[in-house]
Amino acid sequence: NCKCPVILGVAILISQTLQQAMAELGVNRRTTLLEAKRVFRRQCLLRHPDKFPNVSHEERARITVEFQILNAAWSIVRKNLE
């Protein structure tokens, strides 16, 4: 049960800039809050770890970190668009 990928993910989450967060979500500065929210929800449906039940433990850890990064990106973008 190595938690290294999760620790790495947390470090990435803390260091994200607004530009990196927008790139992660696939939005730009002209995107409205509503449009960004729709993009985020669509990405969640595609990238949620529960969508991948039959993957290895290592792959699940990687997918979980990617999902945490997506959530952190949304948090940063949301705060800046509100």
Side-chain angles (χ1 to χ4, degrees):
N1 289 340
C2 177
K3 297 191 180 200
C4 298
V6 174
I7 293 169
L8 176 62
V10 171
I12 293 169
L13 302 178
I14 292 169
S15 66
Q16 267 190 337
T17 66
L18 176 59
Q19 185 177 4
Q20 290 168 326
M22 289 184 139
E24 180 68 33
L25 280 178
V27 299
N28 59 45
R29 291 194 178 270
R30 290 178 287 172
T31 304
T32 66
L33 180 60
L34 183 59
E35 291 168 336
K37 189 176 197 177
R38 286 181 185 147
V39 169
F40 169 68
R41 288 183 174 175
R42 194 173 320 122
Q43 288 295 320
C44 285
L45 289 174
L46 296 172
R47 297 166 63 180
H48 194 282
D50 290 347
K51 293 283 186 179
F52 305 93
N54 299 321
V55 297
S56 67
H57 177 72
E58 292 81 16
E59 187 69 11
R60 180 168 288 282
R62 185 188 62 77
I63 292 167
T64 299
V65 168
E66 288 177 3
F67 192 71
Q68 290 171 338
I69 292 169
L70 176 68
N71 276 304
W74 166 242
S75 179
I76 292 166
V77 170
R78 185 186 69 228
K79 287 177 187 174
N80 284 277
L81 292 178
E82 287 181 332

